[in-house]
Structures are given as structure tokens and as C-alpha cells.
Amino acid sequence: QVQLVESGGGLVQAGGSLTLSCAEASGRTFSNYAMGWFRQAPGKEREFVGAIKWSGRSPLYADPVKGRFTMSIDNAKNTVYLQMNSLKPEDTAVYYCAARYLTIATMTNAYHYWGQGTQVTVSS
């Protein structure tokens, strides 16, 4: 069973940076998986942030974060990262990582495995 554990959330001022981590805790390798990042703000639906193949190829970003957020993979640590720069108050949300087999996708229901989420709060 895939177990995803996010970390790295917190409180940051607008314009600041945070890096979120998503580690696979059960020891399973992710070589044939694609990883997605999503976020959910209070009262809103969960939305797509970005997705990347475990090979590091084909990164895809949602328009609101393009140019500010960057995903990366550390195969040795079985961990995917979301580097968030130039943060805005509207980036405030619970951030989730998710995994699915092979191909990236933007829809939440396309992902089979989810982490517990980590809170990111950006103050103005």
C-alpha cells in the first residue's frame, strides 16, 4: 500500500518561499508513477497545482502557479518536492500530494493515493 507523507507547510509572508515534501513511507518505489500536487482552500474545491512523472519528465503546472512553483524528484529519497516562490495570500490552502500509475493527470479522481495534507498560510 502506498503511503504518502507531506511536510514543509507553515506560515509565510507574501513574497516568501516554502518547500513542501512528499515522501513515500512504505518503501515502495515510484519508478512507474506520476505525482500530483493539489490544494484546497476553505470553502473551495480541491484544485490542481502541478504534476510530474517520476522520471522528472513532462512537468505540468496550473496557470496560477506557473513560473512561481517548481516540482522536483529525489529518487534516492523517494521524495517529490514542491518549491513555492513569490507566494501570495491566495496560495493559502491545504496542499496535498497524490500518486497515480504512469501518466500525469489534472483531475483529482484520477489519483489513487493521497497524503494527509499540509497547511500553507500566506499572510499579506
Side-chain angles (χ1 to χ4, degrees):
Q1 182 72 14
V2 173
Q3 297 178 16
L4 302 176
V5 179
E6 298 109 334
S7 60
L11 174 64
V12 64
Q13 289 188 333
S17 299
L18 279 175
T19 300
L20 305 184
S21 302
C22 173
E24 204 294 312
S26 70
R28 191 186 189 110
T29 59
F30 272 137
S31 58
N32 291 320
Y33 282 78
M35 306 301 295
W37 285 97
F38 293 79
R39 66 187 182 186
Q40 188 166 19
K44 295 187 177 181
E45 292 189 355
R46 194 169 297 188
E47 66 174 4
F48 174 76
V49 173
I52 189 169
K53 289 185 178 180
W54 196 253
S55 63
R57 297 176 181 174
S58 306
L60 178 67
Y61 297 93
D63 286 343
V65 308
K66 202 172 292 183
R68 299 188 298 124
F69 291 11
T70 303
M71 294 173 292
S72 62
I73 304 284
D74 186 330
N75 285 285
K77 295 182 178 180
N78 227 25
T79 299
V80 59
Y81 300 96
L82 180 67
Q83 172 70 42
M84 306 184 294
N85 298 325
S86 303
L87 283 162
K88 305 175 182 179
E90 51 263 43
D91 293 319
T92 295
V94 177
Y95 283 70
Y96 298 89
C97 68
R100 70 185 304 270
Y101 196 60
L102 285 181
T103 58
I104 63 173
T106 62
M107 303 297 290
T108 56
N109 60 9
Y111 287 82
H112 312 302
Y113 306 103
W114 290 85
Q116 82 287 356
T118 186
Q119 176 71 47
V120 171
T121 303
V122 184
S123 62
S124 57

